[in-house]
Amino acid sequence: MSTMTRHGAALKVENCGKTFADGTCALARATLDIAQSETLVLLGPSGCGKTTLLRIVAGLENPDAGGRVLFDGKDLTRQPIEKRNVGMVFQSYALFPNMTVADNIGYGLKIRGVKRAERAARVAELVVLTNLGGLEDRRIDQLSGGQRQRVALARAVAIRPSVLLLDEPLTALDAALRERLRGELNSLLRTLGITAIYVTHDQAEAMELGDRIVVMRKGAIAQIGTPREIYFTPADRFVAEFVGAANIIEAPIDGTHLVLPGGRQPIADSGPRNQAVAMVRPETIGIVEAPASGLTGVVDSVRFAGDRQRIIVRGAASIPLTVDAPNTIKVHAGERIGLSIEPNSIRLLPAEG
Amino acid sequence: MRDRIIFILQLLFTLLVAAFLAVPAALSIAAGVTVNYFRGIQSGITLQWVAQVWELYAGTIMASILIALGTLAVTLVVGIPAAYALYVRGGRLARLVEEIITLPLAIPGLAIALALLLTYGGFGSFRRSWLFILAGHVIFTMPFMVRSVMAVFATIDVKSLDEGAASLGAAPWRRFIDVIVPNAAPGILAGSLMVVTLSLGEFNLTWMLHTPLTKTLPVGLADSYASMRLEVASAYTLIFFVMIIPLLVAMQWIGERGNLR
Ligand SMILES: Nc1ncnc2c1ncn2[C@@H]1O[C@H](COP(=O)(O)OP(=O)(O)OP(=O)(O)O)[C@@H](O)[C@H]1O
Ligand SMILES: [Mg+2]
């Protein structure tokens, strides 16, 4: 279990766009490389084209002319899904109500002509892996949401697919279950070491599961990068605000400082600009005693959240600043405080275009 | 208090309507087993009329059953794959085809019969065979099969099921057999009962298409009303009821079970 083996194909999506028959342009031409055994997450708000891109890789949707999908260098663009050896977990799970759990998991093997005994062994293996012991003979309508999700996963994995495609597999579950299954799913993907594309609109899921994240917006790719790159160096305002909480400050620049209503704030990289759109994550702002010089503001509200507290500070910047402070700091509304921000944690974004 | 009065009035009205429909049926059935209808039930109860009908019209009864089963077979073999293709394909062409298939619902049976006669009347052997009536019944009942199968497709999200099976490597035909048909079973059953019932009772179209040698039960019934004693015609009705009522009850039952789920 500990030695990680690599499975699945390396994928290349080349110049794939999608315009539906009714004229909807769901996906602008996009090119993506996915390494063998990598988990790539497609992240974006509803309607941004995540499912469309996933379905093009799966072979459920044809890309516009000129687009190509390659598995290990082989062009499979013209092949339908049943010839691509993909494992797919649908948002609705698409389990077969007329079959038992075991028959659902074994269906792909049956199609491939795997002998009964061998099939049973593989199904048993997956039942253990996905924690479904004792449910083999149940019908699908006798399962809970979380169990269905696991059957869908087991069924997709059973065929040893070239790539595992997951379309918002946890969205149909309640928050607590979602969190737990996210962990299980993560360790399963690591154990299997299989190439996977995971679609979600939940940034926490994307952060935890993705080797790399593709942030999408209105049918186009906004940024591709590791979770850290996406979080700390977002390419633009959209990515910054979609992934985690962000203070977006517009302010003039004076050499190496942002000129803010509450004082001057040093920054690391400014370039030859004199007006900036800057991003500061709430947890990178420190709260200190109001200093003689430097950035100050007035506490507007304090929301205690157990492990931390969220403090809104007015007067420091052109907008109220959101600060996530340790739960031990004691401040109250109306108090004047100082704010300390590492110059390095301020990220300048391109001006809106 | 007012609610109660309204309820009682509604109940009375419903019973009245039911009686309006049920009494003639009951009278007709009673007539089929009385010795002499004009002297009433006190003349005695007999099965002689039923026996006589059987002797005279057994052929039409068998013909009706065979045609109903033949119609069922054709609508199953053609209708279910058609519904599947229409549903999974979607798009404008599919909708057009669906409209065309459904068209016979809106066209009087006589008009369909006339069209068939105009088109194929010249093909003598086809015109004279059972196949001609079968063709008419298939055209007439196909929309019911396609519609009820498509209705159940809509409730089971057949597109996802199909894609799920495809992702596991199943070719279209395999998915159809393994996944689509079993999960559409309630709709297929409901459609089948409807097709059989409609085919058994169809008169307009069949009357136009039939020849003296290709007569179905309802056509024979019309025939007996015109030329036989009232008791014989009634006994004939009785036989028709015996055939059709279990089908109607089964249809109702399946419909209710479908609603419960
Ligand atoms: N078959 C179709 N015909 C026309 N337009 C479509 C079709 N399928 C999707 N679209 C449109 O394409 C766009 C992208 O859809 P897609 O399903 O890829 O979004 P998504 O990112 O998966 O959204 P969600 O998070 O809500 O699932 C949407 O505007 C949608 O309305
Ligand atoms: Mg989607």
Side-chain angles (χ1 to χ4, degrees), chain A residues 55 60 81-82 86 88 90 92 94-99 107-108 110-112 155-156 159, chain B residues 92 157 159-172 174-175 178-179 182-183:
Chain A
R55 287 171 64 87
L60 287 168
I81 182 167
E82 61 261 33
V86 297
M88 188 138 181
F90 295 82
S92 61
L95 297 171
F96 309 133
N98 61 315
M99 297 181 200
Y107 184 73
K110 192 169 149 196
I111 293 293
R112 283 164 176 71
R155 186 178 75 172
I159 57 174
Chain B
R92 210 171 309 160
D157 191 7
K159 195 158 179 192
S160 291
L161 286 179
D162 189 61
E163 290 179 349
S167 75
L168 294 164
R174 192 72 201 265
R175 331 203 262 270
D178 285 350
V179 176
N183 288 304

Side-chain angles (χ1 to χ4, degrees), chain B residues 238-257:
Chain B
L238 176 62
I239 291 177
F240 182 66
F241 269 132
V242 167
M243 286 169 60
I244 211 97
I245 282 179
L247 289 172
L248 290 174
V249 170
M251 228 155 80
Q252 187 80 27
W253 184 68
I254 287 172
E256 248 156 45
R257 238 185 28 160

